[in-house]
Amino acid sequence: AAPLAHCRAESTRLTPGRRITTIHPSGMANDAMAALEKSPAEHLAGYDLALITYGMLTRMPQLEELDFPAVVADEAQAIKNPGSRQSRAVRKLSGRRRIALTGTPVENRLSDLWSLFDFVNPGLLGNAKAFADFQKRLTSSDEDLVGRTVLLVDDDARNIFALSSVLERRGMQVLTATTGREAIQFVHATPDLAIVLMDIMMPEMDGY
């Protein structure tokens, strides 16, 4: 529950006046919890932000019936296992916007990334089996890469050189950009662009 308290404190500090509820026994009275379980839509209508742990979410299936303006999964590596209860519970939530925040999107397997994307943009990478088959083709053959066009976006020439060398040896056509603005121009001008590999830590990336 400590991360919830931290999130609540930071939200209060950054956006004073925001109505916040913490869906957890440590931050909610018994009568409020009972009211939430009985009528989640009615109870949450009085708040702007609801905070909940992954573990608590698995015990609140009523939340799956609601349509949230946004669902944000903090420390999203917690849902990297697509078969876990908490991963399934998070993906069942309905939100007009979905955001995953994590510093370690891939720890051991590429399938970790599939689980995150299936939350953020369901269906973008296909189902789990299709993605697993794609992984097998990547490791067994370069056939799917030959002739494809890839855009590398990085302000470090060393990274561009290293990645370009690897991808060109696999038969890929490599384009490079050192700024976000230049990358966007390439995206608009290259309809057959298959992959974009971008360093999101580039200086001034948000401003292109």
Side-chain angles (χ1 to χ4, degrees):
L4 293 184
H6 176 73
C7 286
R8 183 172 188 133
E10 286 297 290
S11 296
T12 301
R13 181 178 68 86
L14 295 171
T15 55
R18 184 180 299 276
R19 299 168 300 171
I20 305 172
T21 183
T22 301
I23 305 176
H24 193 273
S26 65
M28 181 176 280
N30 291 338
D31 57 342
M33 183 67 75
L36 172 64
E37 292 175 349
K38 181 179 179 181
S39 180
E42 182 178 346
H43 182 80
L44 294 179
Y47 297 97
D48 303 307
L49 176 65
L51 304 173
I52 189 170
T53 63
Y54 290 108
M56 193 67 193
L57 182 62
T58 63
R59 302 194 291 273
M60 295 289 297
Q62 304 95 319
L63 298 180
E64 298 170 12
E65 304 169 4
L66 306 184
D67 182 26
F68 294 97
V71 177
V72 180
D74 193 16
E75 299 292 346
Q77 66 272 13
I79 61 171
K80 66 181 182 180
N81 180 354
S84 69
R85 288 184 63 200
Q86 59 193 38
S87 181
R88 294 198 304 269
V90 170
R91 297 204 306 275
K92 287 179 181 179
L93 292 176
S94 176
R96 294 190 288 279
R97 300 174 185 83
R98 292 184 173 204
I99 301 171
L101 304 175
T102 176
T104 51
V106 179
E107 292 185 294
N108 299 308
R109 301 174 302 277
L110 198 57
S111 58
D112 296 350
L113 193 62
W114 178 87
S115 185
L116 297 183
F117 269 90
D118 195 56
F119 163 68
V120 174
N121 195 338
L124 179 66
L125 299 182
N127 59 35
K129 183 180 183 304
F131 189 72
D133 291 342
F134 172 70
Q135 285 182 258
K136 290 178 182 177
R137 293 198 303 273
L138 282 181
T139 55
S140 63
S141 171
D142 292 336
E143 181 180 346
D144 286 345
L145 302 179
V146 174
R148 298 290 188 93
T149 302
V150 57
L151 172 62
L152 300 181
V153 188
D154 200 314
D155 62 340
D156 191 326
R158 296 167 300 179
N159 292 341
I160 287 182
F161 176 77
L163 286 170
S164 295
S165 300
V166 171
L167 296 172
E168 287 172 349
R169 285 201 300 270
R170 283 161 172 74
M172 300 194 75
Q173 304 295 318
V174 180
L175 303 175
T176 63
T178 57
T179 67
R181 187 177 299 278
E182 186 181 2
I184 290 173
Q185 291 173 349
F186 270 120
V187 170
H188 287 307
T190 314
D192 61 340
L193 190 61
I195 305 171
V196 177
L197 299 178
M198 178 180 293
D199 177 9
I200 61 172
M201 299 300 291
M202 287 172 55
E204 301 181 5
M205 188 66 231
D206 290 343
Y208 309 125

